Amino acid sequence: MHRCCLRGVIAASSRWHHTRLVEAEFRSYLDQLTDLGKEDLNNADLSYVLLQRTNLHGANLLRCCFYRTSFCEADLRGADLNGCDLGTAS
């Protein structure tokens, strides 16, 4: 799924193992909360993804690729970021 717009999606507790979501937009707005809480994105490619104000509380982000991903104001409490390279994320 390249350059898809998933703003305001409610996908809590779903499984997206090894998914390529390059340049996807998950940003939340005042009237649209994007909820990916407890999401299982193990080994997903989330390069250039916009995750501003997204709920990722308790998400499994193990070994995800976050090249140039934006997490501004995202809720990452309890998220598993083991094995992720966050060096270019913001």
Side-chain angles (χ1 to χ4, degrees), residues 9-52:
V9 69
I10 307 290
S13 299
S14 58
R15 297 179 60 192
W16 298 22
H17 288 216
H18 302 279
T19 306
R20 281 195 85 222
L21 293 164
V22 177
E23 294 186 66
E25 181 179 343
F26 286 98
R27 290 185 292 180
S28 290
Y29 288 100
L30 294 175
D31 61 339
Q32 289 181 298
L33 172 65
T34 301
D35 187 0
L36 302 177
K38 297 185 180 170
E39 180 89 18
D40 191 348
L41 288 157
N42 189 357
N43 286 297
D45 185 352
L46 298 160
S47 299
Y48 297 97
V49 171
L50 301 175
L51 292 165
Q52 287 99 330

Side-chain angles (χ1 to χ4, degrees), residues 63-87:
R63 292 184 296 277
C64 285
C65 177
F66 291 117
Y67 182 76
R68 300 287 213 163
T69 299
S70 175
F71 289 102
C72 183
E73 297 181 37
D75 182 354
L76 291 163
R77 290 175 294 151
D80 186 349
L81 294 162
N82 284 310
C84 298
D85 181 2
L86 299 168

